[in-house]
Amino acid sequence: MKKIRIPDITVNGALTIIASFIAAVIIVSTIYVFAAGKATPGKKTSAPAQTVSQSENSSAAESYAAFTGLGRIRTATAPSGEKKDGAGIPVVVSPWFSYKAGDVEFYEELSRKSGILKNIIKEYFSQQTAETLRKKGEERIKSELCAELNAQLTLNKIQALYFSEYIFLD
C-alpha cells in the first residue's frame, strides 16, 4: 500500500488560504451585483428611525418617521424652598417627535443639532422648580419646549413633541 503524503500547512498558511477565499467571494459577488444591475449605490445612506402612519382621516396618506435621536435626558429642576440642601429634583425625559418620512435634510439637521436640542431641554427643566412644572402640566411643557426647539431649526419645524418617559425622581 502506497502512502499519500499530505503537505505540511502551517497555521499562517491556512489562514492566508481562508482569507484569500473570502476576499475572492466578496470580489466576485460585488462584480455580479453590479453587472446584474441590482446595486443601487447611494440609496438609503441615512435611515430615519421608525415610520409612523398618519391618522385614517387624512385624505393624502403621508407617512411620518419618529426622531428619537435625543435619547434619555437626565437633568434636575431648580431648587425649591422646601429642600434644605439647595438641590433640585432629578427629572428623566425621553423626548421624540415626528417628521415627514423621506425628509432627509430635516433628519440630518435634527441629528446635527441634537446636542443643542438636548441642552435646550436640560436648561428648560433646570430653570423651573418641580412645583412649577407640575402646575404647568405635561401638555404646556411640551408646547413651550416645542417653541424653543423650533427657534433653533431652519429647514422645518417640529409639529408636536412627545415623551416616552417623563419622570420626577422625588
Side-chain angles (χ1 to χ4, degrees):
M1 190 151 136
K2 208 175 193 188
K3 285 188 178 179
I4 300 175
R5 182 172 152 94
I6 300 174
D8 293 335
I9 299 177
T10 64
V11 173
N12 286 339
L15 291 176
T16 304
I17 292 170
I18 293 171
S20 300
F21 176 73
I22 292 172
V25 168
I26 291 172
I27 291 170
V28 168
S29 359
T30 303
I31 291 171
Y32 171 75
V33 168
F34 276 101
K38 295 180 182 179
T40 53
K43 290 259 184 168
K44 294 187 180 185
T45 52
S46 64
Q50 312 156 345
T51 300
V52 182
S53 64
Q54 197 176 18
S55 72
E56 297 90 24
N57 298 337
S58 171
S59 60
E62 294 183 48
S63 63
Y64 288 85
F67 182 79
T68 57
L70 299 179
R72 180 180 287 157
I73 299 173
R74 294 174 182 88
T75 187
T77 63
S80 64
E82 59 188 52
K83 284 258 210 177
K84 294 181 176 113
D85 59 359
I89 295 175
V91 179
V92 178
V93 292
S94 295
W96 68 275
F97 36 86
S98 59
Y99 65 97
K100 287 186 181 176
D103 191 353
V104 177
E105 291 83 14
F106 187 53
Y107 174 80
E108 289 173 354
E109 179 183 20
L110 293 172
S111 296
R112 194 173 54 251
K113 293 183 176 179
S114 64
I116 295 168
L117 300 178
K118 279 183 184 181
N119 287 338
I120 289 171
I121 294 170
K122 285 180 181 181
E123 188 70 22
Y124 179 86
F125 283 102
S126 68
Q127 290 177 348
Q128 302 181 47
T129 64
E131 294 81 29
T132 306
L133 291 168
R134 286 185 176 119
K135 285 178 188 174
K136 280 185 177 185
E138 187 176 339
E139 292 306 313
R140 184 170 167 204
I141 291 170
K142 288 178 188 177
S143 66
E144 289 176 359
L145 272 172
C146 199
E148 288 186 37
L149 296 172
N150 280 333
Q152 295 296 318
L153 301 171
T154 56
L155 295 177
N156 209 337
K157 300 296 178 199
I158 299 168
Q159 301 304 317
L161 177 68
Y162 307 97
F163 294 136
S164 52
E165 274 185 307
Y166 180 68
I167 304 168
F168 287 91
L169 303 173
D170 291 328

